[in-house]
Amino acid sequence: MAERVLEIRGLEVTFRRGEERIRAVAGVDLTLAAGEALALIGESGSGKSVTLRQVLRLDPERTTEVAGSVRVGGEEVGRLDRRGLRRLRGGRVGMVFQEPLLALDPVYTVGQQIVEAIRAHEPVSRAEARARALELFRLVHVPSPDRRLDAYPHELSGGLRQRAMIALALACRPQLLLADEPTTALDATVQIQVLLLLRELQERLGLAILFVTHDIGAAVEIADRIAVIYAGRIVEEGPVRAVIRSPLHPYTRGLLASRTEGALVKGRRIAAIPGSPPDLARPPPGCAFAPRCSLAVEACRRSVPRLEPFAPGHAVRCLRAPEWAASAA
Amino acid sequence: MAAPAVPAAAEPAAALVRSPSFWRSVFARLRRDPVALAAAAVILALLVLALFGPWLVPVDPYASSVLRRLKPIGTPGHPLGTDELGRDMLARLVHGARWSLFMGVTPVVLAFFLGAAIGITAGYAGGLLGTAIMRTIDVFYAFPSVLLAIALSGALGAGIENALLSLTLVFVPPIARVAESVATQLRNRDFVEAARASGAGALTIVRVHVLGNALGPIFVYATSLVSVSMILASGLSFLGLGVRPPEPEWGLMLNTLRTAIYVQPWVAALPGAMIFATSISFNLLADALRSAMDVKG
């Protein structure tokens, strides 16, 4: 097996808000090898972004309780001091945000921001850093890169802005790229270009990508593996093809059924999953999906099922999955 | 595996104009604004008067004459008349520009640095420290600015330095408050988070991202305070707490000419007209600057 770039074991994240304690992540395990792309799929509030942000320990430490382990290249992120954390952020790990217009500073040109990011990590001159920035802009296929470096974020189109953001994230040649819904804020036609770009970069640079999205279509485009997260736990994980073709968890099946593609036949309704996600301040004792699940039995409501391997590389957290899969086959 | 061909994002060639710097684009917008141009012209003229006035009007503003007291506007030799001691009004108004601008601008500049530092610290630090700083500032804020200026310079004693000091202290709280609110908003912006995610330390974030974004709005606000400062400074001089006679400061001139208002109303109104023109120009320029800098893309 290739080198493990990212290893998350038993990650639990709890936010304190006044008296309430919100358990956003309730035990997530993830491994990412070098050059591998993993898509973490879930709806709003499922804990997908929190998991991602915890790789760089971005959440305010005063109000966040973290348990479990996050290792980047074998190094425990939770134990890093301030300097180690700064080296990690933007150094070994780059991050792409959802809305590039908000994530780029409006008063500096995109070139200045990339130069600043490079010089924060490496002792290079401004001219060298600018040459690197130009190289990065070519890498992410920005047309007329030398002029675009001098543009302010608001002067670029959405797609170019996201390319600039990716260039910024890659400024210090990270091994791991974290992408927090990088295509959600873009037009449909631009989305696919950005996804193809990420895929190309992953192959060309041997980059590992952890990609958070609620868009299954985008996940299929870019990922080698998919992990579906629900109420702070991974409910299903496996190779893209296996998860899409033979989903095992009822939640995954519900997600796939609720896609709009192919469902736009006149008069046909888009299938929706009934009910709403559980309150994370008061999670149910058993399977978090049980209250919305048509297959749930008494045992589902008693204890949280384990994530069990089902096929090679394909695991599911559902008591009924083996039974159900056998009857469907 | 073959890399999939990624089409470069298509862009119209017209968009390829090299982007001007932020300040250059602000000035370009200001140049198209007639009100801003007029206000800037007035301020420029006042600056010229303040710097070169004594050479432009080589008349002694202190030379008094009992015989030539309170001459009307248009008197030969005294185009703007004379004051109650027979001193040439034109010379006094021109020499007064130096005093009045100095008294208007200096406290604001000092308060700009002090208030911005305090406010940005409080806003970016947030939490207990931020609250402590801002509640202390609020104590000063509770007093009306005129009252505070008078009370402070009264307590410190009359004199120019004390007047400047008290005006500075009057302007620190409002500037600090604007700086604090701007910094608080910035702290939660995505690009500050993105900067953290790319390894920037707290100091870098404040220096580069917070200052870069906050100084503009704070500067605009401070510009609008120049007029208030001028009026307050004139008020202090009027009360005998700022510039002292026989210096030709506009507020002071207004005070001493007050007794002549029934004899020569137009002459008595001249210093007030200067204060009015200057302060409204600063206000209009601040407004124009605010809208010219508002380029949220």
Side-chain angles (χ1 to χ4, degrees):
Chain A
M1 182 161 181
E3 184 204 349
R4 281 178 177 176
V5 175
L6 175 68
E7 200 173 359
I8 300 177
R9 287 279 159 266
L11 179 69
E12 293 182 23
V13 183
T14 312
F15 296 120
R16 278 193 307 266
R17 207 166 49 196
E19 285 301 294
E20 257 191 346
R21 294 160 59 82
I22 293 146
R23 206 167 188 217
V25 177
V28 161
D29 301 289
L30 280 178
T31 329
L32 200 56
E36 192 183 24
L38 173 72
L40 193 56
I41 299 182
E43 58 197 284
S44 311
S46 60
K48 55 188 195 304
S49 294
V50 177
T51 305
L52 192 76
R53 295 161 56 83
Q54 210 51 53
V55 175
L56 291 177
R57 246 167 69 193
L58 280 176
D59 284 311
E61 317 226 328
R62 261 180 287 175
T63 53
T64 315
E65 284 168 24
V66 183
S69 127
V70 177
R71 285 167 176 276
V72 174
E75 201 170 13
E76 182 68 50
V77 174
R79 287 211 207 97
L80 289 175
D81 60 1
R82 203 182 289 196
R83 283 189 57 196
L85 206 53
R86 276 198 353 225
R87 265 202 305 277
L88 178 77
R89 293 172 175 171
R92 288 232 293 280
V93 182
M95 184 154 177
V96 176
F97 285 76
Q98 179 173 349
E99 173 52 278
L101 186 58
L102 300 177
L104 293 166
D105 192 325
V107 300
Y108 298 101
T109 65
V110 286
Q112 283 171 332
Q113 296 183 52
I114 296 175
V115 166
E116 183 212 324
I118 295 174
R119 281 165 55 94
H121 289 275
E122 293 168 40
V124 294
S125 72
R126 219 163 264 283
E128 284 173 88
R130 175 155 174 119
R132 278 257 295 278
L134 190 61
E135 211 45 57
L136 285 162
F137 259 37
R138 293 212 178 93
L139 186 70
V140 298
H141 305 292
V142 170
S144 342
D146 47 345
R147 287 187 194 177
R148 287 288 164 40
L149 277 179
D150 295 321
Y152 288 88
H154 70 269
E155 297 172 321
L156 297 175
S157 66
L160 282 183
R161 241 179 254 147
Q162 194 56 289
R163 282 168 200 264
M165 183 85 227
I166 293 169
L168 182 61
L170 296 176
C172 296
R173 307 184 181 97
Q175 304 159 281
L176 172 62
L177 188 68
L178 306 175
D180 191 356
E181 308 214 17
T183 57
T184 309
L186 303 175
D187 291 345
T189 49
V190 181
Q191 278 186 8
I192 192 75
Q193 291 177 7
V194 169
L195 290 172
L196 288 173
L197 171 68
L198 285 172
R199 185 91 215 178
E200 183 201 332
L201 292 171
Q202 179 214 356
E203 280 161 8
R204 209 200 276 184
L205 307 174
L207 206 59
I209 298 182
L210 180 56
F211 179 87
V212 158
T213 184
H214 59 248
D215 179 355
I216 296 184
V220 171
E221 226 34 79
I222 191 163
D224 301 307
R225 279 191 300 138
I226 284 181
V228 180
I229 187 167
Y230 183 78
R233 286 195 185 88
I234 300 225
V235 295
E236 181 163 3
E237 185 188 346
V240 171
R241 195 174 280 234
V243 174
I244 297 301
R245 290 230 180 119
S246 48
L248 296 169
H249 198 280
Y251 178 63
T252 317
R253 285 203 297 276
L255 276 185
L256 285 166
S258 62
R259 278 190 303 171
T260 48
E261 289 109 80
L264 294 175
V265 183
K266 202 173 175 185
R268 202 165 108 191
R269 284 169 174 273
I270 293 172
I273 306 175
S276 53
D279 180 0
L280 294 176
R282 279 169 291 278
C287 172
F289 189 63
R292 302 171 77 181
C293 181
S294 59
L295 303 172
V297 293
E298 203 36 51
C300 296
R301 297 192 178 87
R302 271 202 299 275
S303 63
V304 179
R306 287 157 49 113
L307 190 66
E308 304 273 8
F310 185 81
H314 192 172
V316 63
R317 190 190 289 277
C318 179
L319 291 176
R320 309 277 328 260
E323 205 181 317
W324 190 86
S327 69
Chain B
M1 201 190 296
V6 176
E11 271 292 293
L16 292 179
V17 186
R18 198 184 181 88
S19 63
S21 84
F22 175 69
W23 287 106
R24 207 177 303 165
S25 70
V26 166
F27 284 123
R29 265 188 293 275
L30 279 181
R31 268 212 306 277
R32 285 194 294 271
D33 184 346
V35 178
L37 282 183
V42 171
I43 291 170
L44 199 70
L46 285 168
L47 279 176
V48 169
L49 281 189
L51 290 174
F52 307 109
W55 289 276
L56 292 173
V57 184
V59 178
D60 185 358
Y62 304 107
S64 56
S65 155
V66 190
L67 295 175
R68 295 178 153 272
R69 282 169 52 194
L70 291 172
K71 293 287 178 207
I73 294 172
T75 307
H78 300 290
L80 292 180
T82 58
D83 71 359
E84 78 286 354
L85 293 177
R87 297 174 292 196
D88 184 59
M89 279 301 282
L90 179 63
R92 285 185 72 74
L93 287 173
V94 167
H95 282 76
R98 192 174 281 190
W99 278 112
S100 292
L101 279 183
F102 177 72
M103 297 296 285
V105 173
T106 316
V108 174
V109 170
L110 294 176
F112 172 72
F113 287 111
L114 213 60
I118 293 173
I120 287 175
T121 308
Y124 190 73
L128 215 60
L129 179 65
T131 310
I133 294 175
M134 290 320 290
R135 290 301 83 79
T136 313
I137 289 285
D138 283 351
V139 173
F140 286 88
Y141 215 83
F143 299 98
S145 53
V146 185
L147 195 66
L148 189 60
I150 293 171
L152 281 171
S153 56
L156 293 167
I160 295 158
E161 296 86 359
N162 288 341
L164 286 179
L165 184 63
S166 66
L167 285 177
T168 305
L169 290 177
V170 165
F171 291 127
V172 166
I175 290 179
R177 186 177 268 192
V178 169
E180 192 254 1
S181 80
V182 173
T184 307
Q185 284 166 24
L186 286 171
R187 190 173 55 146
N188 298 319
R189 292 285 296 273
D190 279 11
F191 59 79
V192 168
E193 169 119 342
R196 283 208 300 141
S198 68
L203 223 64
T204 312
I205 291 177
V206 168
R207 187 173 51 83
V208 177
H209 298 287
V210 177
L211 274 186
N213 282 282
L215 283 186
I218 302 172
F219 178 73
V220 168
Y221 178 69
T223 314
S224 73
L225 287 179
V226 169
S227 63
V228 182
S229 174
M230 278 197 53
I231 292 167
L232 284 182
S234 303
L236 288 181
S237 302
F238 183 92
L239 293 172
L241 289 169
V243 179
R244 304 221 199 155
E247 298 302 334
E249 200 267 345
W250 294 338
L252 191 62
M253 289 162 70
L254 203 57
N255 183 18
T256 53
L257 278 167
R258 162 179 64 125
T259 49
I261 197 152
Y262 297 112
V263 187
Q264 285 296 351
W266 292 108
V267 172
L270 281 175
M274 293 302 282
I275 294 171
F276 172 74
T278 314
S279 60
I280 202 168
S281 297
F282 270 105
N283 271 352
L284 289 174
L285 191 66
D287 273 353
L289 206 57
R290 189 197 318 273
S291 53
M293 279 170 57
D294 190 23
V295 280
K296 296 287 137 60

